[in-house]
Amino acid sequence: PYIEQVMVIGDKRKFLSALIVPTFDAIKNYAQSQNLDFTDRESLVNKSEIYSLIGAEIQRLSADLARFEQIKRYTLLPQEFTIESGEITPSLKIKRKVVMEKYGDLIEEMYEDSND
């Protein structure tokens, strides 16, 4: 219920990582129930409690997967992938090349200093 969109990265990489767009209504409700202060989506996705919440969801959803199939690192994005931004097609498929270019720095950060 807390994850709206995911793009998994792993081609020619040591492990899987993901760009995750949370379900903002759900995480806002969670943050309010936990008395977490936030001003906007950016501040919300940067909260360690929200990062941990999403991490718990990833673990729950990948419990039956082999170790190499599990997401090891992830980054939360403060906005959805949209048709208008060119990140998804009209049939709602993620344009991987566009997203990889747009978020290349964030993707590389997930792989820096990794011993996994």
Side-chain angles (χ1 to χ4, degrees), residues 21 24 27-28 38-46 77-80:
V21 177
F24 287 102
I27 64 168
K28 282 178 187 176
F38 63 93
T39 54
D40 56 15
R41 288 180 170 192
E42 185 83 34
S43 66
L44 192 56
V45 300
N46 287 320
L77 300 177
Q79 68 280 333
E80 295 90 352

Side-chain angles (χ1 to χ4, degrees), residues 9-100:
I9 298 109
D11 190 35
K12 299 180 180 129
R13 304 281 188 161
K14 292 181 182 180
F15 57 88
L16 297 181
S17 67
L19 295 174
I20 298 176
V21 177
T23 305
F24 287 102
D25 288 341
I27 64 168
K28 282 178 187 176
N29 290 338
Y30 175 82
Q32 290 167 342
S33 74
Q34 300 297 309
N35 296 316
L36 301 176
D37 291 328
F38 63 93
T39 54
D40 56 15
R41 288 180 170 192
E42 185 83 34
S43 66
L44 192 56
V45 300
N46 287 320
K47 291 274 181 201
S48 62
E49 295 89 348
I50 299 301
Y51 192 84
S52 296
L53 174 70
I54 298 297
E57 278 294 287
I58 290 170
Q59 286 183 337
R60 182 182 69 79
L61 295 168
S62 61
D64 294 335
L65 298 176
R67 186 168 168 80
F68 70 91
E69 295 174 312
Q70 296 177 3
I71 294 168
K72 302 290 184 232
R73 296 196 180 159
Y74 57 95
T75 298
L76 302 179
L77 300 177
Q79 68 280 333
E80 295 90 352
F81 299 132
T82 64
I83 295 169
E84 294 78 23
S85 66
E87 297 161 337
I88 59 175
T89 67
S91 62
L92 304 181
K93 294 179 181 130
I94 294 175
K95 293 181 178 178
R96 294 185 64 82
K97 184 177 180 181
V98 172
V99 173
M100 295 287 280

